Amino acid sequence: MTRPPQRPTATSGPPRAGFTLIELLVVIVVIGMLVALLLPAIQGAVRTAKNAAATTELKQLDQAFAAFKTQYGDYPPSRVLLFENGWFTTSSTTALTTPTGGTDMTVGQLAQRSLQYMRKFFPKTTFSTSSAVWVAADNQWYDFNGDGVLQTTPYVLEGHQAFVFFLGGLPRKTEDGYAMTGFAKNPANPFTPEVAPSGAPNFFSNNRVQPLFQFSADRLQAPDPTIASPLNTSGFPGYLDSLGNTLGSGQINFIAYFSAYGNNRYDPNDVNFLENDDGGTLVLNKYKVGFPISGATGGSNLANSTAPNPYTTTATTAAVVNYVNPQTYQLISSGLDGQYGPGGMYKANASAGALQFDATATTPAADTTLRLRERDNLTNFHGGTLE
């Protein structure tokens, strides 16, 4: 029996070519919700990976510092005043100043401290406290910054540059930044450049001691002398923080290095960066330090210092300030937010304010927000961030 033909229903017809607008909107909303849920996890994983890489590098620097101490007998100082003619003016009473105009030690005091280490590390090199070892006619000198020019005035290498110098030797400018070339094996002048300066064809040495740390050329950069300390005119590179942040003022971030000088005598002025707070006001810090300070107000051991500063286990207002790693050194990264913070005794949930001195140099500052910027800081003495 033949079945009669079926009538087409109202819903029958050709198949649809795609989604309706409402269906597309629903899909987009769902995808957006998934991305919103996954994004924090992805960002967290990226932060963790960056922090892990930066922490690993700090550990590698620790190994390089240990190798330096084995080879030279001590850890490097975190600030040196260098005289390319070899004449260290230890009798100078001229006061050094911080970038904010605060009082520091004298030129003679820093020269004496610098000379102590230079003689210890390079015992067969001639340095003088009374006259120049080299003059321009000699056609050679102590070319500490490797630029091929005899600098007639001294210059300072601060902590972010000093460890590059002692671990890496002389810098050589390249298209990518700088290359650290180590020291020459000539004991009388280990500060001979790898490439002969113009006009001095015999003043170079390819026979060199290799650097103790392999610095990445693209992260070796000279600080801006208009932002850093007044004597920072050497063009000597510091080592950029691997997290790649910059301060609000445009100052690039370096890994900060502070030496304890073997006896808990940290010098907070060894690394002076101008750091602005969120309101654009310069963060001023005053520290009690172990060396005599000429003409300081509020006490013979009080000095201005701008962030970053070394970390302590006691408040900086204490009669005796105890530092973390009291006999070695501190390496400090500003973390992912690019802000170092005031340093001193770190307390993540401090309710009594930041623990550096205020403008009167008598009490801790009242701005509790300064502590927040330190939570993501990385150091060689704390596993992971400070928080």
Side-chain angles (χ1 to χ4, degrees):
M1 181 176 178
T2 303
R3 180 176 296 176
Q6 300 292 319
R7 287 183 178 181
T9 64
T11 58
S12 64
R16 293 186 303 173
F19 295 103
T20 65
L21 178 60
I22 293 177
E23 290 171 332
L24 286 174
L25 291 175
V26 170
V27 171
I28 292 172
V29 169
V30 171
I31 292 175
M33 294 174 63
L34 291 174
V35 170
L37 291 172
L38 291 174
L39 190 58
I42 295 173
Q43 291 175 334
V46 171
R47 285 196 300 269
T48 299
K50 287 184 176 180
N51 284 337
T55 300
T56 297
E57 184 171 65
L58 292 180
K59 292 179 180 178
Q60 293 170 343
L61 282 169
D62 275 337
Q63 295 173 355
F65 276 109
F68 184 92
K69 184 179 181 183
T70 298
Q71 184 170 338
Y72 293 95
D74 204 347
Y75 294 114
S78 48
R79 184 167 45 150
V80 287
L81 182 60
L82 298 176
F83 300 77
E84 292 198 345
N85 63 2
W87 181 1
F88 283 69
T89 56
T90 56
S91 61
S92 172
T93 58
T94 301
L96 295 169
T97 58
T98 69
T100 55
T103 305
D104 195 354
M105 64 168 67
T106 66
V107 169
Q109 289 168 334
L110 182 55
Q112 179 61 52
R113 192 175 76 181
S114 302
L115 183 59
Q116 171 190 343
Y117 281 92
M118 297 300 286
R119 282 176 167 168
K120 183 174 186 176
F121 299 153
F122 309 102
K124 296 184 178 181
T125 303
T126 301
F127 301 108
S128 174
T129 60
S130 59
S131 61
V133 176
W134 302 106
V135 295
D138 294 325
N139 221 12
Q140 67 170 304
W141 54 90
Y142 299 139
D143 195 11
F144 300 115
N145 64 359
D147 67 350
V149 178
L150 172 60
Q151 305 292 331
T152 57
T153 56
Y155 49 82
V156 171
L157 301 186
E158 294 189 345
H160 56 298
Q161 302 162 299
F163 84 89
V164 175
F165 173 68
F166 287 107
L167 297 184
L170 275 62
R172 176 169 53 82
K173 195 76 173 69
T174 68
E175 293 181 357
D176 297 325
Y178 289 86
M180 304 311 297
T181 65
F183 297 109
K185 289 186 177 180
N186 175 10
N189 189 354
F191 316 110
T192 305
E194 184 183 43
V195 177
S198 176
N202 297 319
F203 182 32
F204 71 98
S205 174
N206 291 322
N207 191 18
R208 312 190 70 78
V209 178
Q210 292 302 307
L212 294 174
F213 183 82
Q214 296 303 313
F215 294 95
S216 298
D218 59 346
R219 289 173 52 200
L220 287 165
Q221 186 164 333
D224 184 345
T226 65
I227 296 177
S229 63
L231 284 177
N232 188 9
T233 58
S234 65
F236 199 97
Y239 199 47
L240 293 175
D241 194 320
S242 65
L243 299 174
N245 293 310
T246 59
L247 298 176
S249 62
Q251 168 70 51
I252 50 182
N253 280 19
F254 297 96
I255 295 175
Y257 167 62
F258 290 95
S259 172
Y261 298 100
N263 55 7
N264 199 51
R265 293 171 69 88
Y266 277 89
D267 180 353
N269 283 311
D270 280 359
V271 183
N272 270 314
F273 294 151
L274 300 185
E275 181 174 14
N276 292 341
D277 66 16
D278 295 337
T281 303
L282 191 65
V283 177
L284 290 173
N285 303 282
K286 294 190 177 183
Y287 264 77
K288 289 188 175 181
V289 293
F291 54 81
I293 298 177
S294 174
T297 58
S300 61
N301 62 342
L302 198 63
N304 290 52
S305 180
T306 56
N309 282 302
Y311 286 98
T312 67
T313 58
T314 57
T316 53
T317 52
V320 177
V321 178
N322 293 314
Y323 290 91
V324 179
N325 286 358
Q327 295 180 322
T328 56
Y329 57 87
Q330 295 181 26
L331 292 168
I332 303 172
S333 160
S334 62
L336 287 165
D337 68 354
Q339 296 179 315
Y340 294 97
M345 187 178 183
Y346 176 71
K347 291 184 177 180
N349 299 311
S351 59
L355 300 177
Q356 88 282 7
F357 287 108
D358 65 6
T360 64
T362 57
T363 58
D367 187 355
T368 57
T369 63
L370 296 180
R371 292 280 104 177
L372 299 179
R373 63 187 63 186
E374 294 180 296
R375 290 185 174 184
D376 65 343
N377 286 9
L378 298 167
T379 68
N380 66 315
F381 55 82
H382 192 284
T385 59
L386 290 179
E387 62 182 343

